[in-house]
Amino acid sequence: NACARRTSGAVVCWGRNENGQLGEGTTTDRSTPTAVSGLTDAVEISAGAYHTCARRSSGAVVCWGWNDNGQLGDGTTTSRLTPTPVLGLTDAVEISAGLYNHTCARRSSGAVVCWGYNFYGQLGDGTTLDRLTPTAVSGLTDAVELAAGGYNNACARRTSGAVVCWGRNECGQLGEGTTT
């Protein structure tokens, strides 16, 4: 699936929609841009393969689509066909949906929170427990840029310019010299 943010703040999506990741209220695939239901104030969007999130102008985040591991951040594992608020997140300045089943956001303070699937530690909270709501990445309070990796990992650039990564590393994608 693919999405675009219009200058008005509306969002349109198209492509595969078997999990409602187009956000228009159905599971029908769309070959042309289709409006995401009720979203008129988006300032950023991030689409994974099966879920999509948008950051609103207020700093709130909404997500929709597949939610088997809590990657929508609404406190459930129920998939959603339309935008659903991420619980407790009102100060997001950047979002990044992982390709499959986790999502991260950078808060205005520089802290990073992640939620969803965590088998490889890709939520960065020091556990491998799935989280249904935003959970702080341990020890990260000075992030200025964020990227949730396509394959169960994530990275952030710190104010110093240093980059830190966490999660799956079987090919060395964390860049720290191992495959652990």
Short mmCIF file of all heavy atoms in Angstrom, two decimals, residues 34-97:
data_model
loop_
_atom_site.label_atom_id
_atom_site.label_comp_id
_atom_site.label_asym_id
_atom_site.label_seq_id
_atom_site.Cartn_x
_atom_site.Cartn_y
_atom_site.Cartn_z
N THR A 34 -7.60 6.99 -2.37
CA THR A 34 -8.89 7.00 -1.67
C THR A 34 -8.70 7.68 -0.32
O THR A 34 -7.73 7.40 0.39
CB THR A 34 -9.39 5.55 -1.48
OG1 THR A 34 -9.44 4.92 -2.76
CG2 THR A 34 -10.75 5.51 -0.84
N ALA A 35 -9.61 8.56 0.03
CA ALA A 35 -9.48 9.34 1.26
C ALA A 35 -9.50 8.46 2.50
O ALA A 35 -10.34 7.57 2.63
CB ALA A 35 -10.60 10.37 1.35
N VAL A 36 -8.57 8.73 3.42
CA VAL A 36 -8.57 8.10 4.74
C VAL A 36 -9.68 8.75 5.55
O VAL A 36 -9.79 9.97 5.61
CB VAL A 36 -7.20 8.27 5.43
CG1 VAL A 36 -7.25 7.77 6.86
CG2 VAL A 36 -6.12 7.54 4.64
N SER A 37 -10.49 7.94 6.18
CA SER A 37 -11.67 8.40 6.88
C SER A 37 -11.36 9.35 8.03
O SER A 37 -10.61 9.01 8.94
CB SER A 37 -12.43 7.18 7.42
OG SER A 37 -13.56 7.55 8.12
N GLY A 38 -11.93 10.57 7.96
CA GLY A 38 -11.88 11.51 9.07
C GLY A 38 -10.54 12.16 9.36
O GLY A 38 -10.39 12.83 10.38
N LEU A 39 -9.58 12.01 8.50
CA LEU A 39 -8.25 12.57 8.76
C LEU A 39 -8.05 13.82 7.90
O LEU A 39 -7.95 13.74 6.68
CB LEU A 39 -7.17 11.53 8.46
CG LEU A 39 -5.76 11.85 8.91
CD1 LEU A 39 -5.68 12.19 10.39
CD2 LEU A 39 -4.85 10.67 8.61
N THR A 40 -8.01 14.98 8.56
CA THR A 40 -7.93 16.25 7.83
C THR A 40 -6.78 17.14 8.28
O THR A 40 -6.58 18.21 7.73
CB THR A 40 -9.24 17.05 8.02
OG1 THR A 40 -9.43 17.30 9.42
CG2 THR A 40 -10.43 16.29 7.46
N ASP A 41 -6.02 16.69 9.31
CA ASP A 41 -4.97 17.55 9.88
C ASP A 41 -3.63 16.83 10.01
O ASP A 41 -2.86 17.09 10.92
CB ASP A 41 -5.43 18.08 11.24
CG ASP A 41 -5.66 16.98 12.27
OD1 ASP A 41 -5.78 15.79 11.88
OD2 ASP A 41 -5.72 17.28 13.47
N ALA A 42 -3.35 15.92 9.09
CA ALA A 42 -2.09 15.17 9.14
C ALA A 42 -0.92 16.04 8.72
O ALA A 42 -1.01 16.83 7.77
CB ALA A 42 -2.17 13.95 8.24
N VAL A 43 0.19 15.91 9.44
CA VAL A 43 1.42 16.61 9.07
C VAL A 43 2.52 15.62 8.69
O VAL A 43 3.55 16.01 8.16
CB VAL A 43 1.91 17.55 10.20
CG1 VAL A 43 0.93 18.70 10.38
CG2 VAL A 43 2.11 16.80 11.51
N GLU A 44 2.28 14.30 8.95
CA GLU A 44 3.24 13.27 8.59
C GLU A 44 2.51 11.94 8.53
O GLU A 44 1.59 11.69 9.31
CB GLU A 44 4.35 13.19 9.65
CG GLU A 44 5.44 12.18 9.34
CD GLU A 44 6.48 12.07 10.44
OE1 GLU A 44 6.24 12.55 11.58
OE2 GLU A 44 7.53 11.48 10.18
N ILE A 45 2.91 11.09 7.59
CA ILE A 45 2.38 9.74 7.52
C ILE A 45 3.53 8.75 7.39
O ILE A 45 4.61 9.09 6.90
CB ILE A 45 1.39 9.54 6.35
CG1 ILE A 45 2.02 9.98 5.02
CG2 ILE A 45 0.09 10.26 6.60
CD1 ILE A 45 1.17 9.70 3.81
N SER A 46 3.29 7.53 7.86
CA SER A 46 4.28 6.47 7.74
C SER A 46 3.53 5.16 7.55
O SER A 46 2.70 4.79 8.39
CB SER A 46 5.16 6.42 8.99
OG SER A 46 6.19 5.47 8.82
N ALA A 47 3.79 4.48 6.44
CA ALA A 47 3.08 3.26 6.11
C ALA A 47 3.99 2.06 6.17
O ALA A 47 5.06 2.05 5.55
CB ALA A 47 2.46 3.38 4.72
N GLY A 48 3.58 1.05 6.93
CA GLY A 48 4.22 -0.25 6.90
C GLY A 48 3.53 -1.10 5.84
O GLY A 48 2.71 -0.59 5.06
N ALA A 49 3.81 -2.38 5.82
CA ALA A 49 3.17 -3.25 4.83
C ALA A 49 1.70 -3.47 5.15
O ALA A 49 0.88 -3.58 4.24
CB ALA A 49 3.90 -4.59 4.77
N TYR A 50 1.35 -3.52 6.44
CA TYR A 50 -0.01 -3.87 6.83
C TYR A 50 -0.66 -2.89 7.79
O TYR A 50 -1.77 -3.11 8.24
CB TYR A 50 -0.02 -5.26 7.47
CG TYR A 50 0.59 -6.32 6.58
CD1 TYR A 50 1.81 -6.89 6.88
CD2 TYR A 50 -0.06 -6.71 5.42
CE1 TYR A 50 2.38 -7.85 6.05
CE2 TYR A 50 0.49 -7.67 4.57
CZ TYR A 50 1.71 -8.24 4.90
OH TYR A 50 2.26 -9.18 4.07
N HIS A 51 0.05 -1.83 8.16
CA HIS A 51 -0.55 -0.80 9.01
C HIS A 51 0.03 0.55 8.62
O HIS A 51 1.08 0.64 8.01
CB HIS A 51 -0.34 -1.10 10.49
CG HIS A 51 1.03 -0.82 11.02
ND1 HIS A 51 2.15 -1.53 10.66
CD2 HIS A 51 1.46 0.10 11.93
CE1 HIS A 51 3.20 -1.07 11.30
NE2 HIS A 51 2.82 -0.07 12.08
N THR A 52 -0.72 1.59 8.96
CA THR A 52 -0.34 2.95 8.60
C THR A 52 -0.60 3.85 9.79
O THR A 52 -1.54 3.64 10.55
CB THR A 52 -1.17 3.44 7.39
OG1 THR A 52 -1.08 2.47 6.35
CG2 THR A 52 -0.66 4.77 6.87
N CYS A 53 0.25 4.87 9.97
CA CYS A 53 0.06 5.84 11.05
C CYS A 53 0.19 7.26 10.50
O CYS A 53 0.88 7.48 9.50
CB CYS A 53 1.08 5.62 12.15
SG CYS A 53 0.94 4.03 13.00
N ALA A 54 -0.44 8.18 11.17
CA ALA A 54 -0.33 9.59 10.82
C ALA A 54 -0.13 10.41 12.08
O ALA A 54 -0.73 10.12 13.12
CB ALA A 54 -1.58 10.07 10.08
N ARG A 55 0.72 11.43 11.97
CA ARG A 55 0.89 12.39 13.06
C ARG A 55 0.02 13.58 12.74
O ARG A 55 0.07 14.14 11.64
CB ARG A 55 2.36 12.80 13.18
CG ARG A 55 2.62 13.79 14.30
CD ARG A 55 4.12 13.97 14.54
NE ARG A 55 4.86 14.35 13.36
CZ ARG A 55 5.09 15.62 12.98
NH1 ARG A 55 4.61 16.63 13.68
NH2 ARG A 55 5.81 15.85 11.89
N ARG A 56 -0.79 13.96 13.70
CA ARG A 56 -1.69 15.10 13.52
C ARG A 56 -0.97 16.39 13.92
O ARG A 56 0.04 16.36 14.61
CB ARG A 56 -2.94 14.91 14.36
CG ARG A 56 -3.66 13.60 14.03
CD ARG A 56 -4.95 13.49 14.76
NE ARG A 56 -5.99 13.86 13.81
CZ ARG A 56 -7.20 13.34 13.80
NH1 ARG A 56 -7.54 12.44 14.69
NH2 ARG A 56 -8.07 13.73 12.90
N SER A 57 -1.51 17.50 13.50
CA SER A 57 -0.89 18.80 13.80
C SER A 57 -0.80 19.06 15.30
O SER A 57 0.07 19.79 15.76
CB SER A 57 -1.66 19.93 13.10
OG SER A 57 -3.02 19.92 13.50
N SER A 58 -1.65 18.43 16.07
CA SER A 58 -1.65 18.60 17.53
C SER A 58 -0.51 17.84 18.22
O SER A 58 -0.24 18.07 19.39
CB SER A 58 -2.98 18.09 18.10
OG SER A 58 -3.08 16.68 17.89
N GLY A 59 0.13 16.89 17.52
CA GLY A 59 1.12 16.01 18.12
C GLY A 59 0.55 14.65 18.49
O GLY A 59 1.29 13.75 18.89
N ALA A 60 -0.76 14.49 18.35
CA ALA A 60 -1.39 13.18 18.54
C ALA A 60 -1.07 12.30 17.34
O ALA A 60 -0.74 12.79 16.25
CB ALA A 60 -2.90 13.34 18.70
N VAL A 61 -1.16 10.98 17.53
CA VAL A 61 -0.90 10.02 16.47
C VAL A 61 -2.10 9.09 16.35
O VAL A 61 -2.68 8.68 17.37
CB VAL A 61 0.38 9.22 16.75
CG1 VAL A 61 0.61 8.13 15.70
CG2 VAL A 61 1.59 10.15 16.81
N VAL A 62 -2.47 8.78 15.12
CA VAL A 62 -3.51 7.79 14.85
C VAL A 62 -2.94 6.72 13.94
O VAL A 62 -2.07 6.99 13.11
CB VAL A 62 -4.77 8.42 14.20
CG1 VAL A 62 -5.49 9.33 15.19
CG2 VAL A 62 -4.42 9.19 12.93
N CYS A 63 -3.41 5.48 14.12
CA CYS A 63 -2.95 4.37 13.29
C CYS A 63 -4.15 3.53 12.88
O CYS A 63 -5.20 3.56 13.53
CB CYS A 63 -1.96 3.49 14.05
SG CYS A 63 -0.42 4.31 14.53
N TRP A 64 -3.97 2.75 11.79
CA TRP A 64 -5.03 1.88 11.33
C TRP A 64 -4.42 0.71 10.56
O TRP A 64 -3.28 0.74 10.15
CB TRP A 64 -6.03 2.65 10.46
CG TRP A 64 -5.43 3.32 9.26
CD1 TRP A 64 -5.35 2.82 7.99
CD2 TRP A 64 -4.83 4.63 9.19
NE1 TRP A 64 -4.74 3.72 7.14
CE2 TRP A 64 -4.42 4.85 7.86
CE3 TRP A 64 -4.61 5.63 10.14
CZ2 TRP A 64 -3.79 6.02 7.45
CZ3 TRP A 64 -3.97 6.80 9.73
CH2 TRP A 64 -3.57 6.99 8.39
N GLY A 65 -5.22 -0.37 10.42
CA GLY A 65 -4.77 -1.57 9.72
C GLY A 65 -4.58 -2.74 10.66
O GLY A 65 -5.26 -2.86 11.68
N TRP A 66 -3.63 -3.62 10.32
CA TRP A 66 -3.37 -4.84 11.08
C TRP A 66 -2.83 -4.50 12.46
O TRP A 66 -1.99 -3.61 12.61
CB TRP A 66 -2.35 -5.67 10.30
CG TRP A 66 -2.10 -7.04 10.82
CD1 TRP A 66 -3.01 -7.92 11.31
CD2 TRP A 66 -0.83 -7.70 10.87
NE1 TRP A 66 -2.39 -9.10 11.66
CE2 TRP A 66 -1.06 -8.99 11.40
CE3 TRP A 66 0.47 -7.34 10.51
CZ2 TRP A 66 -0.03 -9.91 11.59
CZ3 TRP A 66 1.48 -8.26 10.69
CH2 TRP A 66 1.23 -9.52 11.22
N ASN A 67 -3.28 -5.26 13.48
CA ASN A 67 -2.92 -4.94 14.86
C ASN A 67 -2.66 -6.19 15.69
O ASN A 67 -2.81 -6.16 16.91
CB ASN A 67 -4.03 -4.09 15.49
CG ASN A 67 -3.59 -3.38 16.75
OD1 ASN A 67 -2.42 -3.05 16.91
ND2 ASN A 67 -4.53 -3.15 17.65
N ASP A 68 -2.26 -7.28 15.09
CA ASP A 68 -2.08 -8.55 15.81
C ASP A 68 -1.09 -8.45 16.97
O ASP A 68 -1.18 -9.20 17.93
CB ASP A 68 -1.64 -9.65 14.86
CG ASP A 68 -2.78 -10.19 14.03
OD1 ASP A 68 -3.88 -9.62 14.09
OD2 ASP A 68 -2.58 -11.19 13.33
N ASN A 69 -0.12 -7.55 16.89
CA ASN A 69 0.88 -7.42 17.94
C ASN A 69 0.80 -6.08 18.67
O ASN A 69 1.72 -5.72 19.39
CB ASN A 69 2.28 -7.59 17.36
CG ASN A 69 2.48 -8.96 16.76
OD1 ASN A 69 2.45 -9.11 15.55
ND2 ASN A 69 2.65 -9.97 17.60
N GLY A 70 -0.28 -5.34 18.47
CA GLY A 70 -0.43 -4.06 19.15
C GLY A 70 0.24 -2.90 18.45
O GLY A 70 0.42 -1.83 19.04
N GLN A 71 0.59 -3.06 17.17
CA GLN A 71 1.33 -2.01 16.46
C GLN A 71 0.52 -0.75 16.19
O GLN A 71 1.07 0.25 15.77
CB GLN A 71 1.93 -2.55 15.16
CG GLN A 71 0.94 -3.11 14.16
CD GLN A 71 0.74 -4.61 14.29
OE1 GLN A 71 0.67 -5.16 15.39
NE2 GLN A 71 0.65 -5.28 13.17
N LEU A 72 -0.78 -0.77 16.49
CA LEU A 72 -1.58 0.46 16.35
C LEU A 72 -1.55 1.29 17.62
O LEU A 72 -1.96 2.45 17.61
CB LEU A 72 -3.03 0.12 15.97
CG LEU A 72 -3.23 -0.68 14.69
CD1 LEU A 72 -4.71 -0.79 14.36
CD2 LEU A 72 -2.44 -0.10 13.52
N GLY A 73 -1.08 0.71 18.73
CA GLY A 73 -0.90 1.49 19.95
C GLY A 73 -2.15 1.90 20.67
O GLY A 73 -2.13 2.81 21.50
N ASP A 74 -3.26 1.24 20.38
CA ASP A 74 -4.53 1.63 21.01
C ASP A 74 -4.89 0.78 22.22
O ASP A 74 -6.01 0.85 22.72
CB ASP A 74 -5.66 1.59 19.98
CG ASP A 74 -6.00 0.18 19.52
OD1 ASP A 74 -5.23 -0.76 19.79
OD2 ASP A 74 -7.05 0.02 18.86
N GLY A 75 -3.95 -0.05 22.69
CA GLY A 75 -4.18 -0.86 23.87
C GLY A 75 -4.84 -2.20 23.58
O GLY A 75 -5.17 -2.93 24.51
N THR A 76 -5.05 -2.52 22.29
CA THR A 76 -5.70 -3.77 21.92
C THR A 76 -4.87 -4.49 20.84
O THR A 76 -3.85 -3.97 20.39
CB THR A 76 -7.11 -3.53 21.33
OG1 THR A 76 -6.99 -3.04 19.98
CG2 THR A 76 -7.91 -2.55 22.17
N THR A 77 -5.36 -5.64 20.44
CA THR A 77 -4.82 -6.34 19.28
C THR A 77 -5.90 -6.47 18.21
O THR A 77 -5.86 -7.38 17.37
CB THR A 77 -4.26 -7.73 19.65
OG1 THR A 77 -5.29 -8.49 20.29
CG2 THR A 77 -3.05 -7.62 20.57
N THR A 78 -6.84 -5.56 18.21
CA THR A 78 -7.93 -5.54 17.24
C THR A 78 -7.52 -4.68 16.05
O THR A 78 -7.16 -3.52 16.22
CB THR A 78 -9.21 -4.95 17.88
OG1 THR A 78 -9.55 -5.73 19.04
CG2 THR A 78 -10.36 -4.94 16.90
N SER A 79 -7.59 -5.26 14.86
CA SER A 79 -7.28 -4.49 13.65
C SER A 79 -8.34 -3.42 13.45
O SER A 79 -9.50 -3.58 13.87
CB SER A 79 -7.20 -5.42 12.44
OG SER A 79 -6.12 -6.32 12.59
N ARG A 80 -7.96 -2.30 12.84
CA ARG A 80 -8.85 -1.15 12.67
C ARG A 80 -8.91 -0.74 11.21
O ARG A 80 -7.88 -0.67 10.53
CB ARG A 80 -8.37 0.04 13.49
CG ARG A 80 -8.14 -0.25 14.96
CD ARG A 80 -9.41 -0.53 15.70
NE ARG A 80 -9.13 -0.78 17.12
CZ ARG A 80 -10.05 -0.98 18.02
NH1 ARG A 80 -11.32 -0.96 17.69
NH2 ARG A 80 -9.71 -1.21 19.28
N LEU A 81 -10.11 -0.41 10.73
CA LEU A 81 -10.31 -0.02 9.34
C LEU A 81 -10.22 1.49 9.14
O LEU A 81 -10.20 1.95 8.00
CB LEU A 81 -11.67 -0.52 8.84
CG LEU A 81 -11.91 -2.03 8.93
CD1 LEU A 81 -13.30 -2.38 8.40
CD2 LEU A 81 -10.83 -2.80 8.20
N THR A 82 -10.20 2.24 10.24
CA THR A 82 -10.12 3.70 10.17
C THR A 82 -9.14 4.19 11.24
O THR A 82 -8.82 3.45 12.17
CB THR A 82 -11.50 4.35 10.40
OG1 THR A 82 -12.01 3.92 11.65
CG2 THR A 82 -12.49 3.98 9.28
N PRO A 83 -8.66 5.42 11.14
CA PRO A 83 -7.69 5.95 12.10
C PRO A 83 -8.18 5.84 13.55
O PRO A 83 -9.32 6.23 13.85
CB PRO A 83 -7.53 7.40 11.67
CG PRO A 83 -7.81 7.39 10.21
CD PRO A 83 -8.92 6.39 10.05
N THR A 84 -7.30 5.32 14.40
CA THR A 84 -7.60 5.10 15.81
C THR A 84 -6.49 5.75 16.64
O THR A 84 -5.31 5.54 16.34
CB THR A 84 -7.68 3.59 16.09
OG1 THR A 84 -8.69 3.02 15.24
CG2 THR A 84 -8.02 3.31 17.53
N PRO A 85 -6.82 6.52 17.67
CA PRO A 85 -5.78 7.21 18.44
C PRO A 85 -4.81 6.25 19.14
O PRO A 85 -5.22 5.23 19.70
CB PRO A 85 -6.58 8.00 19.49
CG PRO A 85 -7.94 8.14 18.91
CD PRO A 85 -8.17 6.89 18.11
N VAL A 86 -3.53 6.60 19.09
CA VAL A 86 -2.50 5.93 19.87
C VAL A 86 -2.63 6.46 21.29
O VAL A 86 -2.63 7.68 21.51
CB VAL A 86 -1.10 6.19 19.30
CG1 VAL A 86 -0.02 5.62 20.21
CG2 VAL A 86 -0.99 5.62 17.89
N LEU A 87 -2.74 5.57 22.26
CA LEU A 87 -3.01 5.99 23.64
C LEU A 87 -1.82 6.72 24.26
O LEU A 87 -0.68 6.27 24.17
CB LEU A 87 -3.36 4.78 24.50
CG LEU A 87 -4.66 4.06 24.13
CD1 LEU A 87 -4.88 2.86 25.05
CD2 LEU A 87 -5.84 5.00 24.21
N GLY A 88 -2.11 7.87 24.88
CA GLY A 88 -1.12 8.59 25.67
C GLY A 88 -0.06 9.33 24.89
O GLY A 88 0.90 9.82 25.48
N LEU A 89 -0.21 9.43 23.60
CA LEU A 89 0.81 10.10 22.78
C LEU A 89 0.21 11.39 22.21
O LEU A 89 -0.60 11.36 21.30
CB LEU A 89 1.29 9.18 21.67
CG LEU A 89 2.48 9.65 20.85
CD1 LEU A 89 3.68 9.98 21.74
CD2 LEU A 89 2.87 8.60 19.83
N THR A 90 0.63 12.52 22.80
CA THR A 90 0.07 13.81 22.40
C THR A 90 1.14 14.81 21.99
O THR A 90 0.82 15.94 21.62
CB THR A 90 -0.73 14.42 23.57
OG1 THR A 90 0.15 14.57 24.69
CG2 THR A 90 -1.91 13.53 23.96
N ASP A 91 2.42 14.40 22.06
CA ASP A 91 3.52 15.33 21.79
C ASP A 91 4.52 14.78 20.77
O ASP A 91 5.70 15.06 20.83
CB ASP A 91 4.23 15.67 23.10
CG ASP A 91 4.85 14.45 23.77
OD1 ASP A 91 4.47 13.30 23.43
OD2 ASP A 91 5.72 14.63 24.63
N ALA A 92 4.02 14.00 19.82
CA ALA A 92 4.91 13.41 18.80
C ALA A 92 5.37 14.47 17.81
O ALA A 92 4.59 15.33 17.39
CB ALA A 92 4.20 12.28 18.07
N VAL A 93 6.65 14.42 17.44
CA VAL A 93 7.19 15.31 16.42
C VAL A 93 7.70 14.51 15.22
O VAL A 93 8.07 15.10 14.20
CB VAL A 93 8.31 16.22 16.98
CG1 VAL A 93 7.75 17.19 18.01
CG2 VAL A 93 9.45 15.41 17.58
N GLU A 94 7.70 13.18 15.32
CA GLU A 94 8.11 12.31 14.22
C GLU A 94 7.57 10.91 14.50
O GLU A 94 7.53 10.47 15.64
CB GLU A 94 9.63 12.28 14.11
CG GLU A 94 10.15 11.51 12.92
CD GLU A 94 11.67 11.52 12.82
OE1 GLU A 94 12.36 11.87 13.81
OE2 GLU A 94 12.18 11.16 11.75
N ILE A 95 7.15 10.22 13.43
CA ILE A 95 6.69 8.85 13.56
C ILE A 95 7.38 7.98 12.52
O ILE A 95 7.84 8.46 11.49
CB ILE A 95 5.16 8.73 13.40
CG1 ILE A 95 4.71 9.29 12.05
CG2 ILE A 95 4.44 9.38 14.56
CD1 ILE A 95 3.24 9.05 11.74
N SER A 96 7.46 6.68 12.82
CA SER A 96 8.03 5.73 11.87
C SER A 96 7.39 4.37 12.09
O SER A 96 7.57 3.76 13.14
CB SER A 96 9.55 5.65 12.04
OG SER A 96 10.12 4.85 11.03
N ALA A 97 6.63 3.91 11.11
CA ALA A 97 6.01 2.59 11.16
C ALA A 97 6.99 1.58 10.61
O ALA A 97 7.49 1.73 9.49
CB ALA A 97 4.71 2.57 10.35
#
